Amino acid sequence: MRRRRLASELRRLREAADLTIDEVSEKLECSASKVSRIETGHVGVTPRDARDMLELYGIAGDEQEALVQLAREARKRGWWHAYNEVFTGTFVGLEADASSLRAFQALLVPGLLQTERYAKAVIRAMRPDAEDAEIRRRVAARMARQELLTDPSPPEYWAVIDEAVLHRVVDGAEVMAEQLYRMVTMAAQPNVTVQIVPFGAGAHPGMEGPFLIMGFPELADTDVVYVDSTSSGLYLEEPPDVRRYALMFDHLRAAALKPDDSVEVIAEAAGRFAEQAALPEKPQ
């Protein structure tokens, strides 16, 4: 996110200085492709390169130092780098920087709300050829992601979930009871809202598939939509695309049960699974 913000600012300042990418590359004695990739956020920029570019654009003093510091921060490695083999894209970095997360899921409990046993069963089902060590590593990474919701300054998380998720039995009644009670507990967090789209709502915009809208604290940072799939993800940043998904999410919220009613439905489903598994009632 910081790289994206810095890239946008460097591009704006170059244009304000009335310089082309070729002119910048010539003056800084580097390739035009390097300047272009920096400005699109595809590569990071060193503090030294940032300072050289800013001096060329006539930026000095506190403004220069603030942007050079941003370049330093953009190069810091986040916690997710310890799971490089799991998180191969930029998704987790964007998620970690977001101030709001609006998620829709039609088949599964969203990753940030999954229990360890539910996550293990889901990952194993999606990757039947994976070794046990890889499964354990992916589960550990998912559990580490969830700390985002209990940070001192957590994002506002709003999850809309199709009722089918409450009925799809993943790894047995005991795991399902544990999972649904976990959702009830998380929904009690002040920054977490969970809504259920009931079967009675009929066709709805989310039938196209799961997605996540990430909003950021800086006004200059536009929302990003992440459209999920089992093998990869698609990032959408163009305003028409973002507006379309924001409208879809608004329609989903309108079609869903109210948050309090949704929690009641989840708790009832959890109770049924607990009864099937002959588990004691969840303590109040």
Side-chain angles (χ1 to χ4, degrees):
M1 198 64 238
R2 295 176 180 86
R3 180 193 296 179
R4 186 168 169 251
R5 189 180 309 145
L6 180 60
S8 176
E9 192 64 10
L10 288 174
R11 182 171 63 252
R12 184 186 70 80
L13 292 171
R14 174 183 59 76
E15 291 171 348
D18 199 24
L19 290 169
T20 66
I21 287 178
D22 287 335
E23 288 171 335
V24 171
S25 67
E26 183 179 347
K27 291 180 183 296
L28 296 183
E29 298 182 343
C30 65
S31 67
S33 64
K34 175 182 176 179
V35 177
S36 177
R37 287 171 65 79
I38 286 174
E39 288 191 359
T40 55
H42 285 101
V43 297
V45 55
T46 66
R48 174 61 183 274
D49 284 343
R51 192 181 301 278
D52 288 346
M53 295 174 82
L54 292 166
E55 287 178 354
L56 180 61
Y57 305 156
I59 306 301
D62 291 344
E63 185 178 2
Q64 182 187 105
E65 285 307 311
L67 290 170
V68 171
Q69 179 60 26
L70 186 59
R72 293 191 188 99
E73 293 172 358
R75 293 172 65 82
K76 290 180 180 177
R77 293 165 65 86
W79 64 265
W80 53 88
H81 285 280
Y83 297 96
N84 273 342
E85 77 282 15
V86 177
F87 301 126
T88 56
T90 61
F91 171 75
V92 180
L94 287 171
E95 183 183 64
D97 275 348
S99 57
S100 69
L101 299 166
R102 289 171 286 170
F104 172 74
Q105 270 288 355
L107 297 175
L108 301 169
V109 171
L112 290 179
L113 301 178
Q114 291 179 5
T115 63
E116 186 171 341
R117 291 199 293 175
Y118 184 97
K120 181 179 180 181
V122 166
I123 292 170
R124 183 169 294 285
M126 290 182 170
R127 297 176 177 273
D129 58 340
E131 299 288 339
D132 288 346
E134 180 185 347
I135 299 295
R136 288 194 298 270
R137 188 68 171 159
R138 289 183 175 277
V139 171
R142 186 160 298 181
M143 296 301 102
R145 258 184 71 204
Q146 294 181 357
E147 295 180 15
L148 178 71
L149 294 183
T150 54
D151 277 351
S153 298
E156 292 294 324
Y157 182 66
W158 197 310
V160 178
I161 303 167
D162 194 283
E163 186 181 353
V165 173
L166 307 184
H167 299 276
R168 183 176 300 281
V169 181
V170 173
D171 203 28
E174 183 176 336
V175 169
M176 287 300 298
E178 178 188 53
Q179 173 60 76
L180 298 184
Y181 280 133
R182 158 79 173 173
M183 289 172 64
V184 170
T185 299
M186 289 303 298
Q189 297 267 112
N191 61 306
V192 176
T193 301
V194 177
Q195 283 185 274
I196 300 297
V197 180
F199 289 138
H204 58 73
M207 296 174 77
E208 187 173 313
F211 62 89
L212 174 70
I213 305 173
M214 294 175 275
F216 303 96
E218 298 291 334
L219 292 177
D221 298 329
T222 57
D223 290 358
V224 175
V225 177
Y226 178 75
V227 182
D228 199 7
S229 72
T230 55
S231 59
S232 63
L234 175 66
Y235 298 91
L236 304 173
E237 301 178 65
E238 293 299 320
D241 293 326
V242 174
R243 282 195 298 270
R244 173 171 170 259
Y245 275 90
L247 182 62
M248 287 169 61
F249 193 79
D250 286 342
H251 279 282
L252 284 164
R253 287 192 296 192
L257 300 174
K258 293 179 180 179
D260 288 347
D261 294 336
S262 295
V263 170
E264 187 174 328
V265 167
I266 297 168
E268 288 173 357
R272 289 194 297 272
F273 280 119
E275 187 176 343
Q276 291 175 29
L279 297 174
E281 289 190 12
K282 186 178 186 294
Q284 298 297 317

